[in-house]
Amino acid sequence: MDTREILEQVKKGGISVEKAEKLLRGASVEEMGYAKLDMDRDARTGFPEVIYCQRKTDEFLVSIFRKMLERYGEVFGTRASDHQYQIVREAIPEVVYDPVSHIIKVEKADKERIGRIAVCTAGTADISVAEEAAQTAEFFGSAVERIYDIGVSGIHRLFAHMEEIRSANCVVAVAGMEGALASVLGGLVRNPVIAVPTSVGYGASMNGLSALLTMINSCANGIAVVNIDNGYGAGYLATQINRLAVRGIVAEDDR
Amino acid sequence: MDTREILEQVKKGGISVEKAEKLLRGASVEEMGYAKLDMDRDARTGFPEVIYCQRKTDEFLVSIFRKMLERYGEVFGTRASDHQYQIVREAIPEVVYDPVSHIIKVEKADKERIGRIAVCTAGTADISVAEEAAQTAEFFGSAVERIYDIGVSGIHRLFAHMEEIRSANCVVAVAGMEGALASVLGGLVRNPVIAVPTSVGYGASMNGLSALLTMINSCANGIAVVNIDNGYGAGYLATQINRLAVRGIVAEDDR
Amino acid sequence: MDTREILEQVKKGGISVEKAEKLLRGASVEEMGYAKLDMDRDARTGFPEVIYCQRKTDEFLVSIFRKMLERYGEVFGTRASDHQYQIVREAIPEVVYDPVSHIIKVEKADKERIGRIAVCTAGTADISVAEEAAQTAEFFGSAVERIYDIGVSGIHRLFAHMEEIRSANCVVAVAGMEGALASVLGGLVRNPVIAVPTSVGYGASMNGLSALLTMINSCANGIAVVNIDNGYGAGYLATQINRLAVRGIVAEDDR
Amino acid sequence: MDTREILEQVKKGGISVEKAEKLLRGASVEEMGYAKLDMDRDARTGFPEVIYCQRKTDEFLVSIFRKMLERYGEVFGTRASDHQYQIVREAIPEVVYDPVSHIIKVEKADKERIGRIAVCTAGTADISVAEEAAQTAEFFGSAVERIYDIGVSGIHRLFAHMEEIRSANCVVAVAGMEGALASVLGGLVRNPVIAVPTSVGYGASMNGLSALLTMINSCANGIAVVNIDNGYGAGYLATQINRLAVRGIVAEDDR
Amino acid sequence: MDTREILEQVKKGGISVEKAEKLLRGASVEEMGYAKLDMDRDARTGFPEVIYCQRKTDEFLVSIFRKMLERYGEVFGTRASDHQYQIVREAIPEVVYDPVSHIIKVEKADKERIGRIAVCTAGTADISVAEEAAQTAEFFGSAVERIYDIGVSGIHRLFAHMEEIRSANCVVAVAGMEGALASVLGGLVRNPVIAVPTSVGYGASMNGLSALLTMINSCANGIAVVNIDNGYGAGYLATQINRLAVRGIVAEDDR
Amino acid sequence: MDTREILEQVKKGGISVEKAEKLLRGASVEEMGYAKLDMDRDARTGFPEVIYCQRKTDEFLVSIFRKMLERYGEVFGTRASDHQYQIVREAIPEVVYDPVSHIIKVEKADKERIGRIAVCTAGTADISVAEEAAQTAEFFGSAVERIYDIGVSGIHRLFAHMEEIRSANCVVAVAGMEGALASVLGGLVRNPVIAVPTSVGYGASMNGLSALLTMINSCANGIAVVNIDNGYGAGYLATQINRLAVRGIVAEDDR
Amino acid sequence: MDTREILEQVKKGGISVEKAEKLLRGASVEEMGYAKLDMDRDARTGFPEVIYCQRKTDEFLVSIFRKMLERYGEVFGTRASDHQYQIVREAIPEVVYDPVSHIIKVEKADKERIGRIAVCTAGTADISVAEEAAQTAEFFGSAVERIYDIGVSGIHRLFAHMEEIRSANCVVAVAGMEGALASVLGGLVRNPVIAVPTSVGYGASMNGLSALLTMINSCANGIAVVNIDNGYGAGYLATQINRLAVRGIVAEDDR
Amino acid sequence: MDTREILEQVKKGGISVEKAEKLLRGASVEEMGYAKLDMDRDARTGFPEVIYCQRKTDEFLVSIFRKMLERYGEVFGTRASDHQYQIVREAIPEVVYDPVSHIIKVEKADKERIGRIAVCTAGTADISVAEEAAQTAEFFGSAVERIYDIGVSGIHRLFAHMEEIRSANCVVAVAGMEGALASVLGGLVRNPVIAVPTSVGYGASMNGLSALLTMINSCANGIAVVNIDNGYGAGYLATQINRLAVRGIVAEDDR
């Protein structure tokens, strides 16, 4: 119900003033002690809430996993430690954990994956972040192609995969150190490049700040930058774009 | 002609080895004294080359405007000064100049504009950058809705425009000072938000670095950040997304 | 009218659904071309909108000064240049301009000034920012005591004014260079100290960033920091505190 | 006794020159080995000295807890580790420890709590800092309302609590990542907002520096910024403001 | 009169309580409109107040020059522009101005200069700052030896002057760019080296911050760093050390 | 085969179009799961691929060591931990490990070492990085002279080795803290100085950033800067220069 | 004469002790008022002193140009303004000035140019810095090939020039914005790449700091970084390497 | 022997050319494997070499302690861990260790301590650094007065010790957090203040950088800044100044 519908209902007595007030104030929030689960997020943004595991206490983590699983029939957590996996598994035996991406999840079996996203990395050390991006996009229903270790110090490796990259609806470029991969890709493709700086590097890389600056200052166009090591954010954004490409404007009607 | 076609032609003698070598090495570059115009860009990326006017000498600027206009029948320059406009107008009387966005252009008259992009600003001082974004997107064929001065210090102004914002294929959020607008929008919409930090502010805003950091660290999802004051980059990226939404994957065939 | 009242009115047919929708969406915004004046701000925050003159075009500046003056019977603009003063004065002959604080205003003649705020500076070069703070607070109805040039390099100057400082409801400490004044004051008074770093200094002062860091890291308690050179913000915050001290909780009823 | 009283006493021989000299030089300092307890602080600032436990040696910690408890009948320590709690509890069995806020204290049983402070957080990870703020304010005699997990990525959660927030004498906004909560609150309330950036975040959050910059550059007014993770400082400042609101200027007489 | 003397006088009625109170509160401050001249500085620190001309208004500058000249029979101003010189000369015809150091002064004719300070620069562009240091030290009564253009890119130039440098009571090392001169000198001399980073350089010199960091991190010992371009501060500090060397502890009696 | 040769072969039917396409796309990449070994690097750059051990998993590390050893008959890994050495040694018993440089390698026995590179350090704590540089250069076939602990705080130590330093084809200057060694050397030698800042230092050294800035801003000429602690990069670059000096332009024919 | 020769001469009475002392202390310095010309530089480093014109006074500039021209029969000045050119030309009519590189010089007519250096730029705005590098190298006797406008946003332009680049003894890569050109070149060539970040860019490019960080963190090997906009330093370093390649070790004898 | 004496000896055959060459080149260096002990430092600077223990290997540490003890009859090491103390004690049973300052030493029993240095701290957490300064100065023969915990949040504590502070030849001000202590002291004393920023603090203190900036930008004069936590450097510099005050210029003869 949008505002107008609520008002119409109030007018004709369909709902009480109290109920209407609550609806207008966002009754879709579920209070969990100190946390306020954003149960309306799915309707509003097209994506369910996801669990950022880092810093969460064991007890709270388990209860939030349960709540989500109950509501959506699946659940997705990022930045989980092995310890957290053990804890959650005791409560929810069907969870699976990937130690590379640090993702812990229960995923519906027969999920359709649409469109195409290319996830690329400069080096092998960037794969951890790239997998967070790839698996996030997959969980949200995108088909993903992984093209790893194609950094600019051996640029022929990149050209050998040019067609796969160019045919994606969206390219995710994951790179640490000087992060030049995003610029090179940006100059070669037609669709958006989501640039993910990583904290891979040492010295003046300043834990990824240098790669972030490289990407923000890219001389190529069509480069969308997210935070350092933010694979999740890249997978989310890539899915938004991929969905638009597949569903197009007609998908608007569903909103 | 792609690599395989060139090779096939070589094999059957359709083109000489010398010609083939030249084609493989990028013969689509047009040498203009020191500059190398990237005449293949349109085919490769779907966007023609655009002229970044700042720091260009008068003489070079005029010749490059002429070259582009000749090739594409239209031409688009950003960050042009009033002086540069005077200079170019002497050679190309039909150019028009917008002192707010600092854009100078000749645009085809009957251009179709597809889809929908919402360009929002936090304050009125951000409009200069927003117009660069909006006019860039329009030049590239996108329909644009402008929603200005809806910053978070009076957030009801934003809510009054929620429907227009939510129905766009892509939202451009232009904000200086603390740049919080992008986060608020990101939490409310379904499609990507392109965040453009501006140099509007003083003191610890550090000419836009603070707003850039805000946007990169956004707790909302689906935020794609570009460089400070980079309206052009935002308009380009927004058009890529908008095109995908309208043309979808079938558009692939045209490439 | 708050949400509930609007709903009650809808229910009993006092207002139409359309009107209600508009009210709920923030109808108190006045569209001025690209700008959206926040006419509800006074009711919501207790302060009218103020004009930040920097970067505003001549034409827009005059029209916004007129609009505000019309609505409130007075108007207050900060960071105005002498040129802007000339422009506004042509349209509104009664405006006055202070070249030290760069404030341009029309102020009601018989304004009551309540409570007490002490505005202190470390040096004479900080007075420009201090006057912005002091005059802002006065415009918003606070009584202000100015105590300038009492920096820590000659700390006996500060002690000679200790009683005036301690008897204020709120102290504004304006300092550039190393900004130590705020810490010293913070250790000596009972009420909040609003610390305003200024861009006064050179070399490693980095245009006020160093003073800002000093104030944020203060070992004293009760230090509230605002942006570099943000005299207006300090005057606003000081007035909020001063009003609470004078009007107390009973003022709540007026909200 | 203030300076004049001391001098009067000297004149009439009520106290010796030596005694007077000592009084003028701050005899209210209690030497504890290397430390100098500021026993006059209560009188001067209205707040007793509080113990910052971090980096303190076990032995010194216990002796200072004892000294404070003896003098004030209660004692309050921040940033205490579990180990420090164990050590102090051996000496003072009645101490209590909160592992969330890392506060260790003995508090008088029948303390009155005046006024109202709203302590808000953007996310659940910010609660540790928020609790330091809330419990500090409570220890100093303020009534506190906790409103957690209302960050801008789901802004309807904030609006659902608008009335509680607006009715507080002072709002504490605790947020990490991009820290946009403070700006949104600042535009919606009448009383001061104390912004506490937290080190929650990763990558370009730079351990809270990014949130600090956001808050310092806020386009909203009435934002008072304190150091990263400085819950204690926020609780102190909030109490100063809350006391002014409740006790008003008449409280001046007690000073 | 120190505190005890004042108290003794109060006791025996030599001075009134009011007078004593004023004395204890720092009656040596001379109010000049907004400024508070620190007339006691000479007695307290051994140095008269000096005028920092930058940002001072013409009118105020002239009046403060007059006040100082009247009191001390000489006057010393730093960072003066040619315009300021013209203004002051109209009022005080005997002032002299050095466009290299930007110092404007009236100096007593027969001043004795004691001890020895060596002022060294890395390049010729650093001389402006070096002269500020040298002339400041001379004004305060030190004998100064200038040794310019001995930077480490041609280190034999430095060695050719080793004896003069080593025989000084204090060495001032003025250097921009990478600022290595201070470290080399520090390893070669017996007495303190005052390191003055300058804003000479470009690119990553960041207006002197790089040289400042070099000097602060020096692997040599006995390096005392002052602010970027702070020739005045270096001349002051050098004079303090030079005086100690010449007058020694017996000078204590004069204090 | 270069492009022309491939085309000639295609023309005369020597190779198929498919084969030619593959060759042009960089078929010299060896896929190892996620990694793409750059087997063409040797031919392209004159240097084999080297293994950066940090962050590599045990399993992957062993397989890549085996692959390299198989192909080149020797293998070289940097930044290896003692644990990684143990793991690799189980698979390849002949590997040797140097705990100072953290290099793990199998090196051919009878390698010729040409030319001369001088590797210098400012202090003893810089030796770890210097050894990485020296052993890298030696592995790549350069003769290396080590001259350690000659920092500028005792500059006579440097002069005592001047002839050895000046006679090298290339000097590597390894220094932390303020990094002044590079500037002093740059002013004294004829050939390039490769400056390696190290993370040795504390406080404002900011883990080597300060030394990096010093070196980048050097007033001496012929200073080539690499990343903080990047001994490997320095050894590589020094070898390139050393090879040019020994083999000269005639060596071009071998390429 | 080196140290031993001087000592031998002293022993056999060939020179006096005074003369020997002077020689050992660097008698090759020519005092020019405050400046100390390093007349020994040519012998020590193989390069004559060059004049950095910025900040030099007119009078001093002319005298130093005269001195150099007299001694070397040619003279080379960088960063000269048009005004400085006019001034110098009055005294030395044969000087020539290039407004692109800001170089002012008198060059011997029949200079031989050896070897080959490739100077590349990413964009046309980088040409000013590139020309400083190219003309410096030419003045010092190197043959230079210019390859401009081959930045990574259209990477086929770079590949079209691969052979010229690969055949140079040294490549200078001049790039602003994100500076990715250096990394791409580094992965493709055999000889050293000298990376020159430029201040071309805006926003987060921070006047070239971002490009500098990119280059320092390059994942490619053989990258030697110099200061932002330091074309002169790159031309100097490139000449050192080029000379080694042409003259090889046998050139040692001339030293 | 200085240069002239060596030359005279060569002339009259007192020493051989070889011996002379060695002497001129700094024969006072003692090679210890990779380290070069600077045995001439005492003569050159008036201070013996001191051992910076951090990062030194156990074996090397013991040998260097032995070497120093042997030469000087005493030895002084800073930043030693408890582990290092255990190791050294096994070899040299008479060493003593202070866990507060992390100093390990053997000190001659009957050392005279001259003059007076006041070492002050802002808080108790700064004492560790202050003790490094104090004990260093004592080892080098200075008398030290410790005045701890007198930070500006309770400034009366400082005034209570004003006389002791003012009567010192040199004041060391040790402070973390915002580091305001140095400025306050600088305005109150006659002799130099050596400011030592410490890493005490959190959040925006950035491990002492904020305090460093405060001290560098001090509005007070006579402030000499050293690196963060550099107690040793402060003790060294203070001793240089103290010696000058006690021994004066006549001490020159001993050099």
Side-chain angles (χ1 to χ4, degrees), chain B residues 81-156:
Chain B
S81 65
D82 186 75
H83 166 79
Q84 291 181 316
Y85 166 52
Q86 304 303 340
I87 294 295
V88 174
R89 193 175 51 174
E90 276 171 40
I92 307 172
E94 67 267 38
V95 291
V96 294
Y97 179 62
D98 170 25
V100 171
S101 64
H102 300 287
I103 283 171
I104 178 170
K105 68 180 172 186
V106 177
E107 191 167 6
K108 286 180 186 158
D110 53 349
K111 207 179 271 183
E112 189 203 10
R113 295 210 173 119
I114 64 170
R116 182 140 81 156
I117 293 165
V119 177
C120 308
T121 76
T124 54
D126 303 311
I127 289 175
S128 169
V129 173
E131 278 299 310
E132 190 183 287
Q135 296 181 30
T136 295
E138 287 172 343
F139 185 81
F140 289 150
S142 293
V144 173
E145 179 124 7
R146 287 156 173 85
I147 307 164
Y148 292 166
D149 200 18
I150 56 167
V152 300
S153 70
I155 207 167
H156 58 298

Side-chain angles (χ1 to χ4, degrees), chain F residues 14-34:
Chain F
I15 58 174
S16 69
V17 165
E18 289 69 25
K19 178 77 187 300
E21 196 182 2
K22 216 170 160 186
L23 284 170
L24 289 170
R25 289 218 168 124
S28 56
V29 175
E30 170 136 8
E31 298 277 345
M32 280 188 69
Y34 279 151

Side-chain angles (χ1 to χ4, degrees), chain C residues 29-86:
Chain C
V29 174
E30 170 135 9
E31 297 278 343
M32 279 189 69
Y34 280 152
K36 292 181 179 51
L37 294 198
D38 185 358
M39 291 321 208
D40 174 53
R41 181 170 293 189
D42 197 6
R44 200 171 70 243
T45 66
F47 293 84
E49 195 154 7
V50 154
I51 303 164
Y52 182 79
C53 300
Q54 216 168 313
R55 291 201 187 206
K56 290 218 170 24
T57 61
D58 291 355
E59 193 185 7
F60 181 62
L61 194 72
V62 168
S63 72
I64 198 171
F65 261 89
R66 273 207 184 103
K67 180 78 66 183
M68 290 290 178
L69 183 56
E70 201 176 286
R71 182 174 149 88
Y72 294 108
E74 60 182 6
V75 60
F76 191 80
T78 61
R79 310 248 171 154
S81 64
D82 186 75
H83 165 79
Q84 291 181 316
Y85 166 52
Q86 304 303 339

Side-chain angles (χ1 to χ4, degrees), chain G:
Chain G
M1 279 204 297
D2 70 8
T3 302
R4 177 168 288 243
E5 286 168 332
I6 293 167
L7 288 167
E8 302 279 13
Q9 288 298 320
V10 168
K11 191 175 177 183
K12 53 173 125 134
I15 57 174
S16 69
V17 164
E18 287 72 24
K19 179 75 190 300
E21 196 182 2
K22 219 171 159 186
L23 284 170
L24 288 170
R25 288 215 169 129
S28 56
V29 174
E30 171 136 7
E31 297 277 344
M32 279 188 69
Y34 279 152
K36 291 180 180 53
L37 294 197
D38 185 357
M39 289 321 207
D40 175 51
R41 181 170 292 189
D42 197 6
R44 199 171 70 243
T45 66
F47 293 85
E49 194 152 8
V50 153
I51 303 165
Y52 182 79
C53 300
Q54 214 167 313
R55 290 203 188 204
K56 290 217 171 22
T57 61
D58 292 354
E59 193 185 7
F60 181 62
L61 193 72
V62 169
S63 72
I64 197 170
F65 260 89
R66 273 210 184 101
K67 181 78 67 185
M68 289 291 177
L69 183 55
E70 201 176 287
R71 182 175 148 87
Y72 295 107
E74 60 181 8
V75 60
F76 191 81
T78 60
R79 310 246 170 155
S81 64
D82 186 76
H83 165 80
Q84 290 181 315
Y85 166 52
Q86 304 303 339
I87 295 295
V88 174
R89 193 176 51 174
E90 277 172 39
I92 308 173
E94 67 267 37
V95 291
V96 293
Y97 179 62
D98 170 25
V100 171
S101 64
H102 301 287
I103 284 170
I104 178 170
K105 67 181 172 185
V106 177
E107 191 167 6
K108 286 179 186 159
D110 52 349
K111 207 179 271 184
E112 189 203 12
R113 295 208 174 122
I114 64 170
R116 184 141 81 155
I117 294 165
V119 176
C120 308
T121 75
T124 54
D126 303 311
I127 289 175
S128 170
V129 173
E131 278 300 309
E132 190 183 286
Q135 296 180 29
T136 295
E138 287 171 343
F139 185 81
F140 289 150
S142 294
V144 172
E145 180 123 7
R146 285 156 174 86
I147 306 164
Y148 293 165
D149 200 19
I150 56 167
V152 300
S153 70
I155 208 167
H156 57 300
R157 297 177 301 184
L158 185 160
F159 286 107
H161 292 269
M162 210 57 246
E163 269 167 64
E164 298 145 72
I165 296 170
R166 281 181 53 81
S167 65
N169 288 320
C170 179
V171 179
V172 176
V174 184
M177 302 180 85
E178 97 282 48
L181 180 62
S183 288
V184 172
L185 284 171
L188 292 167
V189 301
R190 176 176 291 264
N191 291 328
V193 172
I194 299 170
V196 191
T198 72
S199 53
V200 171
Y202 60 90
S205 86
M206 295 184 288
N207 302 313
L209 265 179
S210 177
L212 170 59
L213 287 169
T214 303
M215 289 163 169
I216 280 287
N217 285 293
S218 180
C219 61
N221 297 127
I223 309 285
V225 187
V226 299
N227 199 357
I228 298 160
D229 292 336
N230 189 6
Y232 170 74
Y236 184 106
L237 183 55
T239 299
Q240 287 180 316
I241 295 169
N242 189 43
R243 284 181 182 175
L244 281 169
V246 176
R247 299 184 186 157
I249 305 186
V250 292
E252 177 67 15
D253 297 24
D254 310 333
R255 283 171 207 176

Side-chain angles (χ1 to χ4, degrees), chain H residues 126-143:
Chain H
D126 304 311
I127 288 174
S128 169
V129 173
E131 278 300 309
E132 190 184 286
Q135 295 180 30
T136 295
E138 288 171 342
F139 184 81
F140 289 149
S142 294

Side-chain angles (χ1 to χ4, degrees), chain A residues 97-156:
Chain A
Y97 179 61
D98 170 24
V100 171
S101 65
H102 300 286
I103 284 170
I104 178 171
K105 67 181 172 187
V106 177
E107 192 168 5
K108 286 178 185 159
D110 52 350
K111 209 180 269 184
E112 189 204 12
R113 295 208 174 123
I114 64 170
R116 182 141 80 155
I117 294 166
V119 177
C120 309
T121 75
T124 54
D126 303 312
I127 289 174
S128 169
V129 173
E131 279 299 310
E132 190 183 287
Q135 295 180 30
T136 296
E138 287 171 343
F139 184 81
F140 289 150
S142 293
V144 174
E145 180 124 5
R146 287 156 173 84
I147 306 163
Y148 292 164
D149 200 18
I150 56 166
V152 299
S153 70
I155 207 167
H156 58 299

